[in-house]
Amino acid sequence: DWLLTTDQGLASQLLAELDVPKGQHVSGANQQTALPTTSPHPLLSLWLAEQTDETRFLFRSRSIPFIQTQHINDQMDEFRDHPAPFKWHVIHGPGGTGKSRLALEYALLLQKHNEWEAGFLQTENASGFDWHNWQPKKSTFLIVDYAARHAGLIAKMLRGLSQRESPSPTIRLLLLEREVTGSWFNRITWRGSE
């Protein structure tokens, strides 16, 4: 199975992480790269958008200054540092309030110190992943944006990650969504557990 991506930064990162030799992937003239979808770890992304007039309001462009309060920083650190081997949390609020930007900035901070693997889960190729037997090389901070769209996957993740054979390294799952009501939240809390 192969994943087709136009994100060349993601493609380069994944090819390096998967140790895919040259010639084992395909790059076309339109700058799409085909990558193998089987991986010993879930595919994460922290790609940033170029700052242009068209992207100035996209959280990935980081055009608007990010102001994080100490209270929010303390809450994120408390979530990260909790002694449980697996923990999940939902950040919810209206569109445009900064949920995705907060998650991006926190993931970049974790990556900067090289103690955690962190990023937005590439959900399109995560459905067949074996969450129960996954053994990350280092603590991992997974982010799923628009969680309601991925309720089935999240339920599977919660079930598998909460029942992992080996409790280390630490795994954190941050879900981002506008509301925590409705069928999607009932579905993940019924099938998965914290």
Side-chain angles (χ1 to χ4, degrees):
D1 291 336
W2 293 82
L3 163 70
L4 189 63
T5 181
T6 57
D7 181 345
Q8 292 304 299
L10 174 63
S12 298
Q13 174 190 350
L14 295 176
L15 290 170
E17 287 178 11
L18 295 172
D19 294 323
V20 176
K22 283 195 172 214
Q24 296 297 312
H25 66 279
V26 180
S27 290
N30 61 356
Q31 294 301 305
Q32 290 186 332
T33 302
L35 303 167
T37 58
T38 53
S39 171
H41 53 84
L43 303 178
L44 304 178
S45 172
L46 278 177
W47 66 271
L48 301 174
E50 182 180 346
Q51 293 183 7
T52 66
D53 286 342
E54 292 81 27
T55 65
R56 70 180 178 267
F57 296 118
L58 297 178
F59 77 93
R60 291 186 186 272
S61 74
R62 302 173 80 198
S63 298
I64 298 170
F66 180 70
I67 301 170
Q68 185 170 352
T69 66
Q70 189 61 45
H71 174 71
I72 292 174
N73 193 50
D74 290 345
Q75 286 182 331
M76 294 296 287
D77 288 347
E78 184 179 325
F79 171 56
R80 178 199 64 203
D81 296 336
H82 191 281
F86 170 64
K87 192 96 175 134
W88 65 281
H89 185 72
V90 179
I91 294 179
H92 64 94
T97 57
K99 300 176 298 294
S100 301
R101 179 69 184 272
L102 170 66
L104 173 67
E105 295 296 335
Y106 198 75
L108 289 168
L109 180 67
L110 292 175
Q111 288 280 52
K112 180 179 177 182
H113 298 295
N114 203 27
E115 297 170 6
W116 286 73
E117 188 71 34
F120 288 81
L121 180 66
Q122 299 297 296
T123 55
E124 61 273 4
N125 55 315
S127 62
F129 192 78
D130 184 2
W131 299 102
H132 176 75
N133 291 310
W134 177 42
Q135 268 310 115
K137 293 180 181 173
K138 61 183 174 179
S139 294
T140 304
F141 195 91
L142 304 163
I143 303 161
V144 178
D145 209 350
Y146 300 101
R149 297 179 189 171
H150 310 290
L153 170 63
I154 293 167
K156 182 179 176 183
M157 292 173 71
L158 294 177
R159 189 173 48 253
L161 293 172
S162 65
Q163 299 171 356
R164 283 176 46 230
E165 296 292 324
S166 176
S168 64
T170 300
I171 297 174
R172 296 293 176 259
L173 174 61
L174 182 63
L175 307 175
L176 308 176
E177 189 49 71
R178 293 181 180 188
E179 295 182 15
V180 291
T181 58
S183 63
W184 84 269
F185 192 71
N186 292 337
R187 187 173 179 194
I188 70 167
T189 54
W190 177 256
R191 291 188 181 171
S193 61
E194 185 173 358

Coordinates of all heavy atoms in Angstrom, one line a residue, residues 49-95:
A49 N 2.8 26.3 6.9 CA 2.5 27.0 5.6 C 3.3 28.2 5.5 O 3.6 28.9 6.4 CB 1.0 27.3 5.6
E50 N 3.7 28.5 4.2 CA 4.4 29.7 3.9 C 3.5 30.9 4.3 O 2.3 30.9 4.1 CB 4.8 29.8 2.5 CG 5.6 31.0 2.0 CD 5.9 30.9 0.6 OE1 5.8 29.9 -0.1 OE2 6.3 32.0 0.0
Q51 N 4.1 32.0 4.8 CA 3.3 33.2 5.1 C 3.1 34.0 3.9 O 4.0 34.7 3.4 CB 4.0 34.0 6.2 CG 4.1 33.3 7.5 CD 4.8 34.2 8.6 OE1 5.1 35.3 8.4 NE2 5.0 33.6 9.8
T52 N 1.8 34.0 3.4 CA 1.4 34.8 2.3 C 0.1 35.5 2.6 O -0.5 35.2 3.6 CB 1.2 33.9 1.0 OG1 0.1 33.1 1.2 CG2 2.5 33.1 0.7
D53 N -0.4 36.3 1.7 CA -1.7 36.9 1.9 C -2.8 35.9 2.0 O -3.8 36.0 2.8 CB -2.1 37.9 0.8 CG -1.3 39.2 1.0 OD1 -0.8 39.5 2.1 OD2 -1.2 40.0 0.0
E54 N -2.7 34.8 1.2 CA -3.7 33.8 1.1 C -3.7 32.9 2.4 O -4.7 32.3 2.7 CB -3.5 32.9 -0.1 CG -3.8 33.6 -1.4 CD -2.6 34.4 -1.9 OE1 -1.4 34.1 -1.6 OE2 -2.8 35.4 -2.6
T55 N -2.5 32.8 3.0 CA -2.4 31.9 4.2 C -2.4 32.6 5.5 O -2.2 32.0 6.5 CB -1.2 31.0 4.1 OG1 0.0 31.8 4.1 CG2 -1.2 30.2 2.8
R56 N -2.5 33.9 5.5 CA -2.3 34.7 6.7 C -3.2 34.3 7.9 O -2.9 34.5 9.0 CB -2.4 36.2 6.5 CG -3.7 36.7 6.1 CD -3.7 38.2 5.9 NE -5.0 38.7 5.5 CZ -5.4 38.9 4.3 NH1 -4.6 38.5 3.3 NH2 -6.6 39.3 4.0
F57 N -4.4 33.7 7.6 CA -5.3 33.3 8.7 C -5.2 31.8 9.0 O -6.0 31.3 9.8 CB -6.7 33.7 8.3 CG -6.9 35.2 8.3 CD1 -7.3 35.8 7.1 CD2 -6.6 36.0 9.4 CE1 -7.4 37.2 7.1 CE2 -6.7 37.4 9.3 CZ -7.1 38.0 8.2
L58 N -4.4 31.1 8.3 CA -4.2 29.6 8.5 C -3.3 29.5 9.8 O -2.2 30.1 9.8 CB -3.6 28.9 7.4 CG -4.4 28.9 6.1 CD1 -3.7 28.1 5.0 CD2 -5.8 28.2 6.3
F59 N -3.7 28.6 10.7 CA -2.9 28.5 11.9 C -1.4 28.0 11.6 O -0.5 28.3 12.2 CB -3.5 27.5 12.9 CG -3.5 26.1 12.6 CD1 -2.4 25.3 13.1 CD2 -4.4 25.5 11.8 CE1 -2.4 23.9 12.8 CE2 -4.4 24.1 11.5 CZ -3.3 23.3 12.0
R60 N -1.3 27.2 10.5 CA 0.0 26.7 10.1 C 1.0 27.7 9.6 O 2.2 27.5 9.5 CB -0.1 25.5 9.1 CG -0.8 24.3 9.7 CD -0.8 23.2 8.7 NE -1.5 22.0 9.2 CZ -1.0 21.0 9.9 NH1 0.3 21.1 10.2 NH2 -1.7 20.0 10.2
S61 N 0.4 28.9 9.2 CA 1.3 29.9 8.7 C 2.0 30.7 9.8 O 3.0 31.3 9.6 CB 0.6 30.9 7.8 OG -0.2 31.8 8.6
R62 N 1.4 30.7 11.0 CA 1.9 31.3 12.2 C 2.1 32.8 11.9 O 3.0 33.5 12.5 CB 3.3 30.7 12.6 CG 3.1 29.2 12.9 CD 4.4 28.5 13.2 NE 4.9 28.8 14.5 CZ 6.1 28.6 15.0 NH1 7.0 28.2 14.1 NH2 6.4 28.9 16.2
S63 N 1.3 33.4 11.1 CA 1.3 34.8 10.7 C 0.9 35.7 11.9 O 1.4 36.8 12.1 CB 0.4 35.1 9.5 OG 0.8 34.5 8.4
I64 N -0.1 35.2 12.7 CA -0.6 36.0 13.8 C 0.2 35.6 15.0 O 0.4 34.4 15.3 CB -2.1 35.7 14.0 CG1 -2.8 36.2 12.8 CG2 -2.6 36.4 15.3 CD1 -4.3 35.7 12.7
P65 N 0.7 36.6 15.8 CA 1.5 36.3 17.0 C 0.8 35.4 17.9 O -0.4 35.5 18.1 CB 1.8 37.6 17.6 CG 1.7 38.6 16.5 CD 0.6 38.0 15.6
F66 N 1.5 34.4 18.5 CA 0.8 33.4 19.4 C 1.1 33.9 20.8 O 2.3 34.0 21.2 CB 1.4 32.0 19.2 CG 0.8 31.0 20.1 CD1 -0.5 30.6 20.0 CD2 1.6 30.4 21.1 CE1 -1.0 29.6 20.8 CE2 1.1 29.5 21.9 CZ -0.2 29.1 21.8
I67 N 0.1 34.1 21.6 CA 0.3 34.5 23.0 C -0.3 33.4 23.9 O -1.5 33.1 23.8 CB -0.5 35.8 23.3 CG1 0.1 36.9 22.4 CG2 -0.3 36.2 24.8 CD1 -0.6 38.2 22.4
Q68 N 0.5 32.7 24.6 CA 0.1 31.6 25.5 C 0.2 32.1 26.9 O 1.2 32.5 27.4 CB 1.0 30.4 25.3 CG 0.5 29.2 26.0 CD 1.2 27.9 25.6 OE1 2.0 27.9 24.7 NE2 1.0 26.9 26.3
T69 N -0.9 31.9 27.6 CA -0.9 32.3 29.0 C -0.3 31.2 29.9 O -0.2 30.1 29.5 CB -2.4 32.5 29.6 OG1 -3.0 31.2 29.5 CG2 -3.1 33.5 28.7
Q70 N 0.2 31.6 31.0 CA 0.9 30.7 31.9 C -0.1 29.6 32.4 O 0.2 28.4 32.5 CB 1.4 31.4 33.2 CG 2.3 30.5 34.0 CD 3.5 29.9 33.3 OE1 4.2 30.7 32.6 NE2 3.8 28.6 33.5
H71 N -1.4 30.0 32.5 CA -2.4 29.0 33.0 C -2.6 27.9 31.9 O -2.6 26.7 32.3 CB -3.8 29.7 33.2 CG -4.9 28.9 33.4 ND1 -5.1 28.2 34.6 CD2 -6.0 28.5 32.6 CE1 -6.2 27.5 34.6 NE2 -6.7 27.7 33.4
I72 N -2.6 28.2 30.6 CA -2.8 27.2 29.6 C -1.5 26.4 29.5 O -1.6 25.2 29.4 CB -3.1 27.9 28.2 CG1 -4.5 28.5 28.3 CG2 -3.0 26.9 27.1 CD1 -4.9 29.3 27.1
N73 N -0.4 27.0 29.6 CA 0.9 26.3 29.6 C 1.0 25.3 30.7 O 1.4 24.2 30.5 CB 2.1 27.3 29.6 CG 3.4 26.7 29.3 OD1 3.5 26.0 28.2 ND2 4.4 26.9 30.1
D74 N 0.6 25.7 31.9 CA 0.6 24.8 33.0 C -0.3 23.6 32.8 O 0.0 22.5 33.2 CB 0.2 25.5 34.3 CG 1.2 26.5 34.8 OD1 2.4 26.5 34.3 OD2 0.9 27.4 35.6
Q75 N -1.5 23.9 32.2 CA -2.4 22.8 31.9 C -1.9 21.8 30.9 O -2.0 20.6 31.1 CB -3.8 23.3 31.4 CG -4.6 24.0 32.5 CD -5.9 24.4 31.9 OE1 -6.1 24.8 30.8 NE2 -6.9 24.5 32.8
M76 N -1.2 22.3 29.9 CA -0.6 21.4 28.9 C 0.5 20.6 29.5 O 0.7 19.4 29.2 CB -0.1 22.2 27.7 CG -1.2 22.9 26.9 SD -2.4 21.7 26.1 CE -1.3 21.1 24.8
D77 N 1.3 21.3 30.3 CA 2.4 20.6 31.0 C 1.9 19.5 31.9 O 2.5 18.4 32.0 CB 3.3 21.6 31.7 CG 4.2 22.4 30.8 OD1 4.3 22.1 29.6 OD2 4.7 23.4 31.3
E78 N 0.9 19.8 32.7 CA 0.3 18.8 33.6 C -0.2 17.6 32.8 O 0.0 16.5 33.3 CB -0.9 19.5 34.4 CG -1.5 18.6 35.4 CD -2.6 19.3 36.1 OE1 -2.5 20.6 36.4 OE2 -3.6 18.7 36.5
F79 N -0.9 17.8 31.7 CA -1.3 16.7 30.8 C -0.1 15.9 30.4 O -0.1 14.7 30.5 CB -2.1 17.3 29.7 CG -2.5 16.3 28.6 CD1 -3.2 15.2 28.9 CD2 -2.1 16.6 27.3 CE1 -3.5 14.3 27.9 CE2 -2.5 15.7 26.3 CZ -3.2 14.6 26.6
R80 N 0.9 16.6 29.9 CA 2.1 15.9 29.4 C 2.8 15.1 30.5 O 3.2 13.9 30.3 CB 3.0 16.9 28.8 CG 4.3 16.3 28.3 CD 5.4 17.3 28.1 NE 5.8 17.9 29.4 CZ 6.3 19.1 29.6 NH1 6.6 19.8 28.6 NH2 6.6 19.5 30.8
D81 N 2.9 15.7 31.7 CA 3.7 15.1 32.7 C 3.0 14.1 33.6 O 3.5 13.6 34.6 CB 4.3 16.2 33.6 CG 5.3 17.1 32.8 OD1 5.8 16.6 31.8 OD2 5.5 18.2 33.2
H82 N 1.7 13.9 33.4 CA 0.9 13.0 34.2 C 1.6 11.6 34.3 O 2.2 11.2 33.3 CB -0.5 12.9 33.7 CG -1.4 12.2 34.6 ND1 -1.5 10.8 34.7 CD2 -2.4 12.6 35.5 CE1 -2.4 10.5 35.6 NE2 -2.9 11.6 36.1
P83 N 1.6 11.0 35.4 CA 2.4 9.7 35.5 C 1.8 8.5 34.7 O 2.5 7.5 34.5 CB 2.4 9.4 37.0 CG 1.2 10.2 37.6 CD 1.1 11.4 36.7
A84 N 0.6 8.6 34.3 CA 0.0 7.5 33.5 C 0.7 7.3 32.2 O 1.1 8.3 31.6 CB -1.5 7.8 33.2
P85 N 0.9 6.1 31.8 CA 1.6 5.8 30.5 C 0.8 6.3 29.3 O 1.4 6.6 28.3 CB 1.8 4.3 30.5 CG 0.9 3.7 31.5 CD 0.6 4.8 32.5
F86 N -0.5 6.3 29.4 CA -1.3 6.8 28.3 C -2.4 7.7 28.9 O -3.0 7.4 29.9 CB -2.0 5.7 27.5 CG -3.0 6.2 26.6 CD1 -2.7 7.0 25.5 CD2 -4.4 5.8 26.7 CE1 -3.6 7.4 24.6 CE2 -5.3 6.3 25.8 CZ -5.0 7.1 24.8
K87 N -2.6 8.9 28.3 CA -3.6 9.8 28.7 C -4.1 10.5 27.5 O -3.4 10.8 26.6 CB -2.9 10.8 29.7 CG -3.9 11.7 30.5 CD -4.1 11.1 31.8 CE -4.9 12.1 32.6 NZ -6.0 11.4 33.3
W88 N -5.4 10.9 27.5 CA -6.0 11.6 26.4 C -6.8 12.8 27.0 O -7.2 12.8 28.1 CB -6.8 10.7 25.5 CG -8.0 10.1 26.1 CD1 -8.1 9.0 26.9 CD2 -9.4 10.5 25.9 NE1 -9.4 8.7 27.2 CE2 -10.2 9.6 26.6 CE3 -10.0 11.6 25.2 CZ2 -11.6 9.8 26.7 CZ3 -11.4 11.7 25.2 CH2 -12.2 10.8 26.0
H89 N -6.9 13.8 26.1 CA -7.6 15.0 26.5 C -8.3 15.6 25.3 O -7.8 15.5 24.2 CB -6.5 16.0 27.1 CG -7.1 17.2 27.7 ND1 -7.8 17.3 28.9 CD2 -7.0 18.5 27.2 CE1 -8.2 18.5 29.1 NE2 -7.7 19.3 28.1
V90 N -9.4 16.4 25.5 CA -10.0 17.1 24.5 C -10.0 18.6 24.7 O -10.3 19.0 25.8 CB -11.5 16.7 24.4 CG1 -12.2 17.4 23.3 CG2 -11.7 15.2 24.2
I91 N -9.6 19.3 23.7 CA -9.7 20.8 23.8 C -10.8 21.1 22.8 O -10.8 20.7 21.6 CB -8.4 21.5 23.4 CG1 -7.3 21.2 24.4 CG2 -8.6 23.0 23.2 CD1 -5.9 21.8 24.1
H92 N -11.8 21.9 23.3 CA -12.9 22.2 22.4 C -13.2 23.7 22.5 O -12.9 24.3 23.5 CB -14.1 21.4 22.8 CG -14.7 21.6 24.2 ND1 -15.7 22.5 24.4 CD2 -14.3 21.1 25.4 CE1 -15.9 22.5 25.7 NE2 -15.1 21.7 26.3
G93 N -13.8 24.2 21.5 CA -14.2 25.6 21.4 C -14.6 26.0 20.0 O -14.4 25.2 19.1
P94 N -15.2 27.1 19.8 CA -15.7 27.5 18.5 C -14.5 27.6 17.5 O -13.3 27.8 17.9 CB -16.3 28.9 18.8 CG -16.6 29.0 20.2 CD -15.6 28.1 20.9
G95 N -14.9 27.5 16.2 CA -13.9 27.6 15.2 C -13.1 29.0 15.3 O -13.7 30.0 15.5

